[in-house]
Amino acid sequence: MATFKQRDSGWWQAVVRRKNQPPQSKTFPTKKDAEAWARDIENKIDRGVFVDKAEAEATSLSKALSRYLKEVTVRKKSHQMESYRIAVWQQHKLADRSLASLRSQDFAQYRDQRLAQGMAASTIRNELAIISHLFNTASREWNIPVTNPILGIAKPREKNERERRLLDGEESLVLSTFAGAARFCASVEHNHWMTPLFVLAIETAMRQSELVNIDWKYVDLKRRFIHLPDTKNGTSRDVPLSSRAISALESLPRNIKGKVFPTTTDALKKAWQRALKRGRKEYENELKAQGKSQEEVDADGMLINLHWHDLRHEATSRLAEKLQMHELMKVTGHSDSKMLARYYHPKAEDLAKKLA
């Protein structure tokens, strides 16, 4: 039987007690609302379809994210980036809401707001993926009765095929920026590992995370390759080294044990952005000193919209001119040849020579 009690505030508390069921209670502004809720709970209990949502109602999204960070994120290869995204989520107003109260429309609105702010579709998809996996984990492993609200919304379409290549002279400009050469301000702050990291990136097409996690014990300079025991797609691979890549590695202080680059992806990213920003400023000043108009300066794309990941595209494009597709797959670690097809644009006359 349900019981009803009016509080000092004037609101009515309904309490439903049934055998083998934890007590259910909720407060309403009127007794009529309390009675309607109690009848609904009793009816669901009688039909065996009642689900106790007390824990889901008591757990905020922020609290659930903290648990997810400790139990799930720490086991992921991308835990550093995901930790950052979780921290961003916990600053959002939705983080204060209970898991039980969150609906698909809440995250659809979030998606639209992020798109309006100019965020990349891939970034928004990654942010929503965390919430989706959190709800699945809460339901399957934490025994919290929730429904995944992300399943009910459309994800923004990704356009991942960036075609940004290094411009003529841009490679030298980047290296000069790292070195703090006379072309730029000598006091430019930069991670001193950036030059060899940059060289290896454009010579090997290794991913950012793969580069910063190279261990000396897997570097074989005599046989000219680096062994990667654990990559993004869960497999290992051997990356061949060009003469230039060998030189970059030989220039480094060598430890018998330990990482080749004692830095992090976050430090690399910050150093990259800082160097490009300051390098671009010095480059613009030089163009102006040469008498270039502001319009001409703005039209020059040197060091503009250049991402670290573009270096993998640059390296893959260069390697595609030397290697066949099945060979290139071994180097880059792509598991699907379709992703590499865009790097191959043979000319008709070259194909005709092969047929002759």
Side-chain angles (χ1 to χ4, degrees):
M1 288 290 294
T3 59
F4 305 93
K5 180 180 179 181
Q6 190 173 27
R7 294 180 173 274
D8 293 339
S9 62
W11 283 50
W12 286 85
Q13 181 188 47
V15 180
V16 177
R17 292 184 175 85
R18 286 294 181 89
K19 188 176 181 180
N20 299 324
Q21 288 284 349
Q24 302 297 317
S25 65
K26 198 167 184 178
T27 305
F28 300 88
T30 67
K31 186 176 183 181
K32 183 178 180 180
D33 291 337
E35 290 173 338
W37 174 83
R39 284 195 302 271
D40 179 58
I41 296 298
E42 290 174 331
N43 179 264
K44 288 179 178 177
I45 292 176
D46 292 340
R47 291 187 290 118
V49 297
F50 173 72
V51 177
D52 184 3
K53 295 185 178 181
E55 187 172 3
E57 293 173 344
T59 304
S60 68
L61 177 59
S62 180
K63 182 179 178 181
L65 283 167
S66 294
R67 181 177 178 181
Y68 182 87
L69 177 64
K70 295 178 182 178
E71 298 182 14
V72 181
T73 300
V74 293
R75 302 198 301 266
K76 297 184 179 182
K77 296 176 185 176
S78 57
H79 62 90
Q80 290 181 335
M81 178 56 70
E82 186 161 286
S83 297
Y84 170 77
R85 291 193 178 110
I86 287 176
V88 172
W89 264 118
Q90 290 181 315
Q91 297 299 315
H92 195 272
K93 61 182 180 182
L94 288 178
D96 296 328
R97 299 263 299 275
S98 71
L99 296 182
S101 70
L102 292 167
R103 299 290 184 268
S104 294
Q105 54 264 37
D106 296 318
F107 294 100
Q109 184 178 29
Y110 172 87
R111 173 204 62 204
D112 295 341
Q113 290 173 343
R114 295 290 273 170
L115 285 171
Q117 292 169 356
M119 298 303 297
S122 59
T123 298
I124 301 171
R125 289 177 68 93
N126 288 332
E127 292 171 346
L128 294 176
I130 293 173
I131 302 302
S132 180
H133 193 223
L134 180 149
F135 272 86
N136 288 339
T137 301
S139 176
R140 298 169 184 172
E141 299 186 20
W142 301 345
N143 200 31
I144 300 178
V146 290
T147 301
N148 187 344
I150 306 301
L151 297 178
I153 67 173
K155 314 304 186 299
R157 297 185 63 179
E158 292 187 68
K159 296 180 180 178
N160 287 331
E161 295 186 357
R162 281 177 59 87
E163 299 294 340
R164 178 68 158 89
R165 295 286 305 272
L166 291 178
L167 305 175
D168 290 341
E170 197 165 30
E171 181 177 336
S172 298
L173 200 55
V174 170
L175 290 172
S176 295
T177 302
F178 290 151
R183 188 183 186 92
F184 298 99
C185 176
S187 64
V188 169
E189 298 176 16
H190 66 277
N191 184 321
H192 64 282
W193 302 106
M194 292 302 290
T195 295
L197 276 166
F198 177 82
V199 171
L200 279 178
I202 60 176
E203 290 294 315
T204 66
M206 291 172 65
R207 298 180 178 92
Q208 184 184 82
S209 59
E210 294 169 346
L211 287 166
V212 299
N213 286 306
I214 298 173
D215 194 298
W216 275 117
K217 66 182 178 182
Y218 294 121
V219 178
D220 192 329
L221 294 180
K222 290 185 178 180
R223 293 193 290 172
R224 302 169 67 94
F225 73 86
I226 295 173
H227 176 66
L228 302 179
D230 188 18
T231 63
K232 181 180 179 180
N233 58 18
T235 62
S236 63
R237 78 175 190 275
D238 292 332
V239 180
L241 298 172
S242 65
S243 297
R244 189 183 181 197
I246 292 285
S247 297
L249 287 167
E250 288 179 336
S251 70
L252 298 171
R254 176 147 189 189
N255 300 317
I256 301 301
K257 295 181 180 180
K259 292 172 63 176
V260 173
F261 300 106
T263 187
T264 64
T265 54
D266 186 56
L268 186 157
K269 181 181 295 185
K270 289 179 180 178
W272 173 254
Q273 294 172 343
R274 184 169 58 240
L276 292 191
K277 182 179 179 180
R278 294 183 177 178
R280 174 64 191 184
K281 183 177 180 180
E282 293 296 324
Y283 181 72
E284 289 180 354
N285 290 339
E286 182 171 307
L287 291 180
K288 292 175 182 178
Q290 295 173 1
K292 301 288 186 180
S293 67
Q294 187 62 51
E295 184 177 357
E296 290 176 308
V297 171
D298 293 339
D300 191 304
M302 201 74 76
L303 303 185
I304 296 294
N305 191 31
L306 181 61
H307 301 173
W308 182 271
H309 186 70
D310 294 330
L311 304 183
R312 179 167 161 83
H313 175 66
E314 175 69 25
T316 304
S317 299
R318 295 182 183 185
L319 290 170
E321 298 175 359
K322 304 175 182 179
L323 306 175
Q324 296 183 29
M325 187 179 295
H326 69 278
E327 295 173 324
L328 186 59
M329 289 179 68
K330 294 289 187 181
V331 176
T332 63
H334 284 93
S335 57
D336 188 351
S337 60
K338 292 180 181 178
M339 298 182 69
L340 288 178
R342 66 192 178 106
Y343 292 97
Y344 287 88
H345 306 286
K347 296 179 181 179
E349 55 265 36
D350 294 332
L351 294 176
K353 292 178 182 178
K354 290 186 177 183
L355 296 174

